[in-house]
Amino acid sequence: MLPVLLAAVSALVWGAGDFAGGKASQRANAVHVTVVAMVVGLPLLAALVIVFPAKHLRPTDLAWGALAGLTGGAGIAIFYRGLASGAMAVVAPVSAMTSATLPLVLGLAIDRRPGVLALTGAVLAVAAIGLVSLGGRGGRVTAQVVGLALAAGALFGLFFVCLRQASADSGAWPLVAQRLAGIAAGVALLALRRSVPRLGPAWRWTFVSGVCDVTANALYFAAVHRGVLSVIAPVAALYPVSTVLLALAVDRERVRAIQLAGLGLAATALVLTAS
């Protein structure tokens, strides 16, 4: 029960962070927002290292954390490129479902098998993610757009798997390695573009995004080392749910009937996975 609860809360926080990052990206360059948000989370990570010290830290734990940072960062870059095509109604659900399906499949291969109800809930969570992520009509769908969506989703899925591979005895250090690797990649990208981050009025949303991301990462890390990867990752990947709910509450966006069906399916999935 506790691992599923932690994963569900991580999904809510991730979704809130994505909403805040989206609001910030409406006011400033998305790359600038992403890099600054990663830096903003460093003080919180320092506190987590103190509160959750490592019992036994191996170089491989840091390597898995760094790989999670690189895969997650590359996934975001490819995801943004896919969204820029205008075919958001395809890119969002395809990438979201892929990010949940990959750790589900790999989890069944490398981790212990969950119960029938929990596995059914995980499968329903994947379907719910796809429904909730469906937006309005987008631009022209091409093989390249679908490929970008699949690649972004696969990288997000690998992010989930990489954090699972780091040892629970390593404390919060894999999260530090993940964040530093992401920052290094972001700074390198800014250097190639010869760009200096400028946020202006977007800094408040960027700050919220950075804090939410670190918090969600820590919650997921705790959840996946107490539960089963094939169940925890699909539940954590339900983050589009809170993004949609916040868009409805804050921006008064119109939610489609199929998205409402996805919200109901997500609730069903949580009940089953917690059984």
Side-chain angles (χ1 to χ4, degrees):
M1 180 64 180
L2 179 59
V4 173
L5 178 60
L6 290 171
V9 176
S10 75
L12 289 174
V13 178
W14 256 323
D18 284 350
F19 177 79
K23 298 290 286 186
S25 296
Q26 292 173 357
R27 297 163 171 79
N29 182 279
V31 176
H32 294 181
V33 169
T34 302
V35 174
V36 174
M38 287 191 289
V39 174
V40 162
L42 288 177
L44 180 55
L45 269 178
L48 288 174
V49 168
I50 296 173
V51 175
F52 302 104
K55 296 178 182 178
H56 179 65
L57 182 61
R58 302 170 301 177
T60 52
D61 295 326
L62 297 177
W64 281 115
L67 187 58
L70 293 176
T71 54
I76 290 174
I78 294 175
F79 182 67
Y80 283 156
R81 183 178 175 186
L83 293 180
S85 69
M88 295 185 184
V90 172
V91 174
V94 169
S95 62
M97 291 183 69
T98 305
S99 70
T101 302
L102 183 63
L104 171 60
V105 174
L106 290 179
L108 291 174
I110 65 177
D111 208 347
R112 66 184 187 275
R113 297 292 181 91
V116 175
L117 285 179
L119 182 58
T120 302
V123 173
L124 290 180
V126 174
I129 292 164
L131 293 178
V132 170
S133 301
L134 285 170
R137 294 184 178 180
R140 188 169 65 92
V141 179
T142 64
Q144 181 183 14
V145 168
V146 174
L148 289 172
L150 289 172
L155 288 167
F156 290 148
L158 288 175
F159 168 86
F160 287 128
V161 175
C162 288
L163 283 185
R164 171 62 181 85
Q165 296 303 102
S167 170
D169 292 336
S170 58
W173 283 104
L175 299 177
V176 174
Q178 174 248 328
R179 183 54 45 124
L180 292 178
I183 291 174
V187 170
L189 180 60
L190 290 177
L192 287 174
R193 294 185 174 187
R194 297 182 180 179
S195 178
V196 177
R198 294 182 178 86
L199 297 180
W203 71 267
R204 292 183 180 86
W205 286 112
T206 303
F207 178 83
V208 172
S209 176
V211 171
C212 284
D213 188 51
V214 170
T215 304
N217 288 349
L219 288 168
Y220 170 75
F221 189 74
V224 79
H225 284 92
R226 289 170 172 79
V228 183
L229 175 63
S230 56
V231 172
I232 297 302
V235 172
L238 284 168
Y239 54 84
V241 170
S242 57
T243 303
V244 169
L245 291 176
L246 283 170
L248 175 64
V250 178
D251 292 340
R252 305 296 181 186
E253 287 189 10
R254 184 178 179 181
V255 179
R256 302 173 66 196
I258 195 169
Q259 290 176 299
L260 290 175
L263 293 175
L265 193 59
T268 304
L270 287 176
V271 171
L272 289 175
T273 53
S275 298

